[in-house]
Amino acid sequence: MIELQNVCRTFTVGDQQVAALRDIDLSFGAGEYISIMGPSGSGKSTMLNMLGLLDRPSSGTYLLDGGNVTDLNDEQLARVRREKIGFVFQSFHLVPRLTATQNVELPMILAGIPAGERKARVQVLMQSYGLADRVGHKPDQLSGGQRQRVAIARATVMNPAVLLADEPTGNLDQATGWEVLKLLEGLLEQGITLVLVTHDAEIGARARRRIHMLDGRILSDEQQAK
Amino acid sequence: MRLSDTLQFASGSLRGSPTRTLLMMLAMAIGVAAVVVLTALGEGARRYVVDQFASLGTNLVIVLPGRTETSGVGPGLMSGQTPREITLDDAQALLRSRAIKRFAPLTVGSASLSRGALNREVVVLGSTSELLAVRHMEMAVGRFLPGGDIHDTASVCVLGNQMKRELFGNEQAVGQWVRLGDRRFRVIGVMSSQGESMGMRTDDLVIIPVASSHQLFNTSGLYRILVEAKHRDAIGQVTKDAESILVERHSGERDVTVITQDAVLQTFDRILGALTMAVGGIAAISLVVAGVLIMNVMLIAVAQRVKEIGLLKALGAPGKQIRQLFFAEAALLSAIGSVAGLALGHAGSFIIGQFYPSLPVSPPWWAVIAATATALGTGILFSVWPARRAARLDPVAALAGK
């Protein structure tokens, strides 16, 4: 479903070329649970941005659902992100002036889905994520766990094929962290592909497939036998 | 993204920073209000002048003796003659033209007016009953000059309002006798006070029948003939007819000048119209300043909302959509600002109108449209750069707040 072929990504810092990703060859199937681990600077965030089409490879090819998305233009990329990819961030990235419901609605607004349908879909989602009594709250009236759940609702409201989570539990205490993680893992049953970037080995170990990165290279790629 | 959603999202982000939004709207509103008030003043001045001309009489053509030649030497000068005067019969002959509604002959002289011991040097107008209608004048008491034969030398007079007060005070004037030069006249009416109309004060005049004035001053010519055309389009015909009738009566000699009020009026109209445009243009500069302010604030907004822009991109908004969101914000700002400015401007014009009731202050429709269009235009134009900047942000850097 996702296939990276020979992908490199180099940044220019001052007059130096810094390689964030070097010759990455990787492929995921649908419904896989992958954790990407590594120390900071290992390129795991760049990898996530690359998978989420927020960043373009300097060289190499990215195939998503069999289609080459390396050379798409801005509008086409946005469309693919909108329809196939969901993001969950460490710092939630909720729009502070919008209520929980409006935040969840945002991707559908961008996609031009009519208001009636938006309301119905948000309501179902808020209910199943235990946020039914928080619909009218602004982000600053929500706890960290609730905020991340709103963010997950927003990431899944368009029924994406891939969910990319960047340290989703990083700003949460352990108990809420586990809750959020369970919520994310629950999505696997719906056939979503979950990619989890973390530097926490304990969390990373929960994934069936664990990828370790260092200096922009894949150090190890282990598949846990079930 | 739907248009209604775009507008809603934009208005949401405007409400998100109310102080900034209010200040920008204020700048826009002041700009629009300035255009509206200043053009209203200019337009008021223009209409004031036009009204003054209209009060002099509408569709007026003025015939005066003599010819102003712009080239060569006139035949009168060659033969050592003064131009032939216009007589009452000449004036009456004008009625042969179908385009002429009515006319009022006019003589002007100066004589001493006395009642008992009171004595005043006054300007004496000689005319006919038609003058009242031609000059749009109004009576306070009594009646105007009697109609009938133009050669009738009745010893009656009509006093200007101020003259009446100076000679009679609060006494009844109508029916009393006054002495004008060496003749006695009976007062039959008093004009109502009309202030000044194009340099001619009717308040301190005495009006007597034209034939009586000829006797009084021992003349036979007319100073002017005021001719009123049947309607505006007939003015050209009246001019032609008046000239040809008088030329014919003066044995083929062109020794009269016919001027139309329209020509003078149009000149004033053009000058004051241009002035209004200029003043409005200067006011429009404040709109451009407001536009620069919008650009400045939009740039700050882009900087402040970098993370939000990054998020929108991650959620699948292409650059075009981000741009539209910022355009929508600018358009909303300018639109609401313009509406507030129009209200402010109209209120301002109204207040000025209260202070100067004689000035017909009301903003011209074109200025209202131009001000609103300029406000919207500059608002959107000056948001192009901030919007492009937002649309071109790199999503990864933007999400990190860089």
Side-chain angles (χ1 to χ4, degrees):
Chain A
M1 192 201 135
I2 283 181
E3 203 173 335
L4 298 182
Q5 296 170 347
N6 232 346
V7 164
C8 293
R9 178 70 172 104
T10 50
F11 294 99
T12 311
V13 180
D15 51 2
Q16 265 188 312
Q17 297 277 317
V18 178
L21 294 178
R22 303 166 200 252
D23 298 323
I24 301 286
D25 283 299
L26 197 60
S27 63
F28 306 145
E32 268 197 88
Y33 182 9
I34 305 119
S35 68
I36 301 177
M37 285 173 287
S40 41
S42 59
K44 58 188 194 301
S45 285
T46 308
M47 174 81 113
L48 198 77
N49 291 333
M50 195 68 72
L51 290 172
L53 296 169
L54 291 178
D55 207 349
R56 289 166 190 260
S58 306
S59 66
T61 312
Y62 179 2
L63 302 175
L64 180 64
D65 272 348
N68 189 342
V69 293
T70 324
D71 300 317
L72 295 184
N73 64 25
D74 175 64
E75 202 149 340
Q76 293 163 322
L77 282 176
R79 192 185 174 82
V80 174
R81 278 202 294 269
R82 200 156 64 211
E83 290 171 354
K84 295 192 173 161
I85 296 165
F87 283 98
V88 176
F89 306 96
Q90 179 176 5
S91 52
F92 323 129
H93 277 304
L94 298 178
V95 181
R97 64 167 185 279
L98 301 179
T99 63
T101 321
Q102 288 168 332
N103 266 291
V104 177
E105 256 186 287
L106 211 46
M108 293 191 286
I109 290 178
L110 294 175
I113 292 170
E117 194 186 335
R118 294 201 308 248
K119 292 275 178 282
R121 271 161 76 171
V122 170
Q123 209 182 358
V124 170
L125 220 52
M126 297 293 269
Q127 204 99 46
S128 65
Y129 286 4
L131 292 163
D133 55 340
R134 288 285 180 272
V135 287
H137 288 58
K138 297 269 174 76
D140 56 6
Q141 297 166 313
L142 299 172
S143 71
Q146 286 166 342
R147 287 186 210 181
Q148 196 57 301
R149 272 185 281 164
V150 171
I152 294 169
R154 184 181 62 193
T156 53
V157 75
M158 294 291 289
N159 297 318
V162 189
L163 191 64
L164 305 170
D166 189 1
E167 305 271 13
T169 60
N171 280 7
L172 303 173
D173 62 60
Q174 198 159 25
T176 15
W178 285 119
E179 273 176 42
V180 164
L181 215 52
K182 286 206 178 99
L183 183 59
L184 286 172
E185 286 166 1
L187 297 168
L188 289 165
E189 286 162 25
Q190 297 165 22
I192 213 165
T193 306
L194 178 61
V195 181
L196 198 68
V197 165
T198 182
H199 62 266
D200 186 329
E202 198 182 348
I203 291 171
R206 294 174 65 87
R208 256 156 281 163
R209 183 171 170 191
R210 300 157 204 163
I211 295 171
H212 284 267
M213 290 188 68
L214 190 68
D215 287 340
R217 288 183 208 281
I218 293 176
L219 206 64
S220 67
D221 184 352
E222 349 169 354
Q223 190 87 27
Q224 188 189 45
K226 201 173 179 187
Chain B
M1 198 163 172
R2 284 150 185 265
L3 182 64
S4 61
D5 286 329
T6 307
L7 289 176
Q8 209 165 9
F9 191 88
S11 73
S13 44
L14 284 177
R15 277 197 301 270
S17 42
T19 319
R20 194 170 63 198
T21 305
L22 270 176
L23 283 175
M24 279 212 283
M25 278 179 187
L26 189 67
M28 239 346 155
I30 289 174
V32 172
V35 173
V36 169
V37 170
L38 287 176
T39 50
L41 275 176
E43 180 73 2
R46 191 185 67 80
R47 294 229 316 252
Y48 178 75
V49 170
V50 172
D51 287 352
Q52 286 290 303
F53 271 95
S55 76
L56 199 122
T58 38
N59 309 333
L60 214 56
V61 175
I62 301 163
V63 181
L64 49 152
R67 178 142 197 103
T68 346
E69 291 286 355
T70 49
S71 64
V73 181
L77 269 177
M78 294 284 273
S79 53
Q81 286 176 319
T82 53
R84 198 178 317 190
E85 58 193 11
I86 302 175
T87 65
L88 276 179
D89 294 324
D90 286 342
Q92 258 186 323
L94 288 179
L95 284 180
R96 296 208 312 248
S97 163
R98 285 167 188 280
I100 290 174
K101 190 172 175 191
R102 53 185 155 219
F103 73 94
L106 210 61
T107 63
V108 179
S110 162
S112 72
L113 175 73
S114 56
R115 177 199 177 224
L118 291 170
N119 197 328
R120 289 280 181 283
E121 195 66 21
V122 291
V123 176
V124 179
L125 282 192
S127 192
T128 63
S129 57
E130 303 280 26
L131 182 68
L132 193 69
V134 171
R135 282 289 309 268
H136 294 196
M137 297 193 294
E138 273 168 40
M139 299 300 295
V141 223
R143 42 194 194 82
F144 198 66
L145 300 175
D149 185 10
I150 200 169
H151 296 285
D152 196 10
T153 60
S155 291
V156 292
C157 69
V158 175
L159 295 183
N161 201 278
Q162 197 190 331
M163 257 320 119
K164 183 256 164 191
R165 261 183 286 126
E166 286 180 10
L167 286 186
F168 293 93
N170 289 327
E171 282 175 61
Q172 161 103 4
V174 175
Q176 307 266 18
W177 289 84
V178 292
R179 176 168 285 280
L180 193 57
D182 55 1
R183 275 185 66 172
R184 287 194 346 125
F185 286 84
R186 195 162 57 86
V187 179
I188 56 167
V190 177
M191 308 298 304
S192 70
S193 180
Q194 293 168 62
E196 200 158 344
S197 111
M198 294 317 291
M200 182 92 97
R201 282 174 63 84
T202 53
D203 282 4
D204 44 14
L205 286 179
V206 175
I207 306 169
I208 59 175
V210 64
S212 306
S213 87
H214 279 157
Q215 285 184 348
L216 188 67
F217 299 116
N218 193 24
T219 52
S220 55
L222 293 175
Y223 169 66
R224 296 278 189 272
I225 310 175
L226 306 179
V227 183
E228 189 180 332
K230 284 221 168 86
H231 42 88
R232 202 180 164 81
D233 299 332
I235 289 174
Q237 187 62 42
V238 169
T239 314
K240 246 189 285 171
D241 287 354
E243 258 184 38
S244 65
I245 290 169
L246 291 176
V247 164
E248 184 196 323
R249 288 183 58 87
H250 289 190
S251 9
E253 208 174 300
R254 277 182 183 275
D255 55 2
V256 294
T257 304
V258 180
I259 54 173
T260 61
Q261 173 186 236
D262 238 31
V264 187
L265 184 58
Q266 271 170 11
T267 308
F268 267 98
D269 207 32
R270 264 206 311 277
I271 292 170
L272 288 162
L275 208 66
T276 306
M277 296 269 278
V279 169
I282 291 167
I285 292 174
S286 63
L287 279 177
V288 176
V289 174
V292 175
L293 189 74
I294 283 196
M295 175 161 73
N296 187 18
V297 176
M298 279 289 177
L299 284 174
I300 297 171
V302 170
Q304 278 180 347
R305 297 222 297 265
V306 159
K307 280 192 182 185
E308 183 183 319
I309 295 161
L311 173 76
L312 289 177
K313 289 199 156 188
L315 294 181
K320 199 172 99 191
Q321 230 166 47
I322 309 264
R323 224 164 35 230
Q324 279 166 358
L325 282 174
F326 277 90
F327 279 153
E329 258 184 61
L332 274 176
L333 261 181
S334 327
I336 300 172
S338 321
V339 170
L342 287 182
L344 205 66
H346 277 95
S349 313
F350 177 76
I351 290 168
I352 292 171
Q354 295 298 301
F355 278 107
Y356 301 98
S358 61
L359 205 61
V361 188
S362 115
W365 61 269
W366 57 262
V368 170
I369 292 174
T372 317
T374 316
L376 281 173
T378 48
I380 291 173
L381 191 74
F382 281 106
S383 68
V384 167
W385 186 34
R388 277 172 69 107
R389 185 182 260 206
R392 284 182 177 180
L393 282 176
D394 170 42
V396 175
L399 274 170
K402 278 181 256 176

